[in-house]
Amino acid sequence: MLLPWLAVLPAARATDLDWMVIRQQYREIEWIAGRSGESASNGNEWNFAEGRPAVEAELSEPHSAMADLSGAVYVADKNAHAIRKIRPDGVLVTVAGTNAAGFDGDGPATQRRLDGPQHAYVLPDGTFYILDTGNRRIRRVGTDGQMVTTIVETADLSRGLWVSRDESVIYYATGTALKKWTPDLGMRPGVVLATGLADAGNLDVAANGDIYISDRGASRVYRVPPTNTPGIPPVPVAGLGGTAGDGPKASGKPALSVGLREARGVAFHPAGGFFVATHRGGDVWYVDTRGLAWMFVEGDAGATFFPDPQPVPTTRQVMAEPRSVSVALNGDILICGNDAGYVRRIRYTGSRMEPTAELIVTAGPEIPVVRWRADPQRWFRLESSDNPAGGVWTTEQSGPATGAWQEWAGPGVDPAAARFYRLTEFRRWPN
């Protein structure tokens, strides 16, 4: 019997997603981790918050927050020398590090020391890479969460890290350079793609493969083609520049004319524009595909914090010192910042960012079979429900597509009972 297929309406074309549409996709910024931004250990202590709500945990200068396909958020808790995970139920657990600085080799992830990790780069399946800055290593923890393994040893690391979905390319930043690592290098450092940065920050990769890197020291964001050579300087794409980056904060102006004081975080939205977090500026901006910069979340360089949800774009200063910004696979925006240590989220409330394929669902006397034309360049999540109006969906399968057609065979069901399926596909980017 042929059951109904449930398809999500396609999103607007990328060329239509300007600032006004971005404004409609996001409504408010909320607090999901850290103790209200009121206190910070600024050291390697841990306040016994393991297994408790993340909003009760004392974080210590967290430097990055990224989500996997399940919605779990991974936080690089820098001065506590650990990687935390905020589960979808809001509970915080440690997934790497012992809360004490040092290096004692590779091994069980929660039994091996880290030293000032500045980034945890998360792949959709939950694999994550650690920018273990003090130990001068890039390290990997697989989906089993058990072992931390050194991938790269290098003399100099900064804040930026990006890993391709197939793990065949790693881009990372030193203080003044952008480097590229591939497996043929073994544990040796990557090759130099660009030099001349003042104090490199975070980085992300656009749909066309260009690398965008923030430069805290120059208060700018630069673009570097993946085939760049060190002799060709990076191209500025946002920020007035200068050591302080002071300048007008006027929204809707060309991005190169706006003061992005200590630009530090950068992350692409699937529309093609990108977000920029400024440490001393305290803000998060959106730079659209026309090169115009729009104030998205306003803050300061102090300790401003509002525990209650606040509307976005903000009309008041609601945060301080954002260190990173990332866009999750479901469209949510994650902001990590302040010495006091907290993580904030802006939920994506728009239509789905990707059109889905048509689902072909059949049910024999024993098992249902779901098939769809897939794109091997994308990841997917297949969900089912017997009551879609109630909003309860169960994930049946997720991961990278393995061919032109993807098929899932479910457990035995009553063929007379109606069941609904929906598919969400995700780009290879952002993140």
Side-chain angles (χ1 to χ4, degrees):
M1 155 172 104
L2 185 64
L3 295 180
W5 54 267
L6 183 63
V8 179
L9 292 175
R13 297 191 307 271
T15 53
D16 297 331
L17 282 167
D18 59 12
W19 167 239
M20 296 304 294
V21 177
I22 295 294
R23 290 186 62 168
Q24 294 301 313
Q25 291 178 341
Y26 299 97
R27 303 297 174 85
E28 62 182 24
I29 183 170
E30 61 183 357
W31 161 47
I32 64 170
R35 295 176 65 180
S36 303
E38 295 174 354
S39 62
S41 60
N42 290 318
N44 60 5
E45 60 188 79
W46 179 233
N47 67 329
F48 305 104
E50 191 78 18
R52 297 182 60 81
V55 292
E56 298 178 7
E58 182 179 305
L59 301 177
S60 183
E61 289 198 28
H63 270 49
S64 73
M66 287 186 69
D68 65 17
L69 191 59
S70 75
V73 177
Y74 298 69
V75 180
D77 200 3
K78 176 177 173 275
N79 280 5
H81 315 292
I83 308 300
R84 318 292 187 192
K85 180 168 78 171
I86 306 167
R87 301 187 325 214
D89 62 3
V91 171
L92 186 140
V93 294
T94 299
V95 290
T98 64
N99 307 308
F103 179 76
D104 50 7
D106 294 338
T110 55
Q111 299 175 31
R112 290 296 179 268
R113 292 188 176 194
L114 306 176
D115 190 347
Q118 298 215 33
H119 207 321
Y121 193 91
V122 184
L123 299 180
D125 63 0
T127 297
F128 62 96
Y129 282 71
I130 304 169
L131 197 66
D132 193 0
T133 311
N135 285 323
R136 299 180 178 180
R137 285 171 163 79
I138 298 173
R139 307 171 81 180
R140 178 185 186 274
V141 178
T143 54
D144 61 4
Q146 297 302 309
M147 303 294 287
V148 58
T149 306
T150 296
I151 303 299
V152 184
E153 291 186 26
T154 181
D156 187 13
L157 287 174
S158 182
R159 306 172 185 89
L161 179 66
W162 182 91
V163 183
S164 64
R165 296 281 170 86
D166 62 4
E167 303 180 68
S168 65
V169 176
I170 295 176
Y171 296 124
Y172 68 92
T174 69
T176 58
L178 172 67
K179 293 188 175 183
K180 176 182 178 180
W181 177 91
T182 50
D184 59 289
L185 292 170
M187 289 195 294
R188 299 193 305 276
V191 298
V192 176
L193 284 183
T195 58
L197 300 169
D199 184 7
N202 292 323
L203 56 93
D204 202 2
V205 175
N208 67 356
D210 284 349
I211 306 138
Y212 284 61
I213 184 166
S214 61
D215 189 338
R216 180 180 180 182
S219 295
R220 273 189 159 172
V221 177
Y222 293 97
R223 176 176 59 83
V224 179
T227 56
N228 203 65
T229 59
I232 301 176
V235 178
V237 293
L240 185 62
T243 56
D246 292 326
K249 284 191 175 184
S251 195
K253 301 297 183 181
L256 285 169
S257 70
V258 174
L260 301 178
R261 189 176 181 191
E262 296 193 13
R264 191 155 171 178
V266 59
F268 272 92
H269 184 281
F274 58 92
F275 296 98
V276 182
T278 62
H279 185 186
R280 290 299 172 193
D283 311 314
V284 173
W285 294 76
Y286 177 71
V287 179
D288 67 18
T289 53
R290 296 172 296 169
L292 301 180
W294 304 89
M295 178 67 75
F296 190 49
V297 183
E298 191 169 3
D300 58 32
T304 298
F305 178 82
F306 284 88
D308 298 324
Q310 300 291 318
V312 292
T314 55
T315 57
R316 63 192 297 185
Q317 293 181 334
V318 300
M319 66 178 187
E321 297 181 327
R323 285 180 165 79
S324 71
V325 59
S326 68
V327 180
L329 288 161
N330 66 356
D332 289 352
I333 298 169
L334 299 168
I335 302 169
C336 196
N338 195 273
D339 287 348
Y342 56 83
V343 180
R344 308 200 75 171
R345 175 173 58 202
I346 309 173
R347 290 187 183 275
Y348 177 81
T349 58
S351 59
R352 293 186 182 273
M353 290 183 288
E354 291 294 330
T356 67
E358 179 176 326
L359 300 182
I360 302 170
V361 184
T362 58
E366 297 180 355
I367 61 172
V369 176
V370 182
R371 298 183 74 232
W372 66 94
R373 185 175 294 280
D375 183 347
Q377 300 301 310
R378 299 174 186 242
W379 285 59
F380 70 89
R381 180 172 64 233
L382 178 69
E383 300 168 289
S384 70
S385 175
D386 56 7
N387 179 25
V392 179
W393 292 87
T394 301
T395 299
E396 302 290 1
Q397 190 178 37
S398 64
T402 56
W405 282 90
Q406 194 78 24
E407 183 174 292
W408 171 82
V413 297
D414 178 359
R419 191 155 185 87
F420 300 85
Y421 297 86
R422 71 180 183 185
L423 176 75
T424 306
E425 291 184 300
F426 302 97
R427 296 178 186 265
R428 290 175 61 92
W429 64 281
N431 304 331

